[in-house]
């Protein structure tokens, strides 16, 4: 089941759809702290030892009120050996919709972690 996050957006001055979309995109870029809790930053499904090391918004696209956010989650996994430790990035996407002064983000669930004995 998807996680739903609703974010209030300040009144927009434009009534034209293209201008409104541009304003929404600019607001999202300038106010990440007000909506970033909608992002999926979990790394447990990659590996139970994976630790979140950072995240970065790559692209925000708004078309006719439909919002797509592409972002990268950086993580590290410590296995105890220098040549086995992992530092990597995971590309992710969430979608949302602007309506009546609110953005509703829908964050999909991540897959259940799999263990080597379950993959056979």
């Amino acid at each position: 089941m998807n996680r739903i996050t609703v974010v209030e957006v300040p009144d927009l001055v434009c009534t034209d759809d293209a201008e409104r979309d541009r304003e929404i995109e600019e607001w999202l870029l300038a106010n990440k702290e007000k909506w970033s809790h909608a992002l999926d930053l979990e790394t447990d499904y990659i590996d139970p030892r994976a630790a979140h090391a950072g995240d970065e918004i790559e692209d925000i696209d708004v078309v006719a009120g439909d919002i797509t956010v592409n972002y990268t989650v950086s993580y590290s996994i410590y296995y105890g050996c220098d040549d086995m430790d992992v530092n990597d990035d995971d590309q992710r996407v969430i979608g949302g919709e602007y309506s009546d002064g609110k953005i509703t983000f829908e964050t999909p669930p991540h897959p259940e972690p799999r263990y080597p004995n379950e993959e056979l």
Side-chain angles (χ1 to χ4, degrees), residues 3-7 67 95-99 102-106:
R3 182 181 65 189
I4 305 296
T5 306
V6 179
V7 181
I67 301 164
E97 183 177 306
Y98 174 81
S99 179
K102 297 177 184 172
I103 297 174
T104 304
F105 286 106
E106 201 167 328

Side-chain angles (χ1 to χ4, degrees), residues 50-106:
H52 176 258
D55 55 88
E56 182 178 338
I57 303 299
E58 300 293 330
D59 182 51
I60 297 176
D61 190 32
V62 182
V63 178
D66 290 329
I67 301 164
T68 303
V69 179
N70 295 292
Y71 63 104
T72 301
V73 175
S74 300
Y75 63 92
S76 61
I77 305 171
Y78 176 70
Y79 290 111
C81 296
D82 287 340
D83 61 340
M84 292 180 65
D85 294 342
V86 175
N87 292 303
D88 206 355
D89 296 326
D90 190 26
Q91 304 295 321
R92 301 184 185 182
V93 177
I94 62 167
E97 183 177 306
Y98 174 81
S99 179
D100 299 324
K102 297 177 184 172
I103 297 174
T104 304
F105 286 106
E106 201 167 328

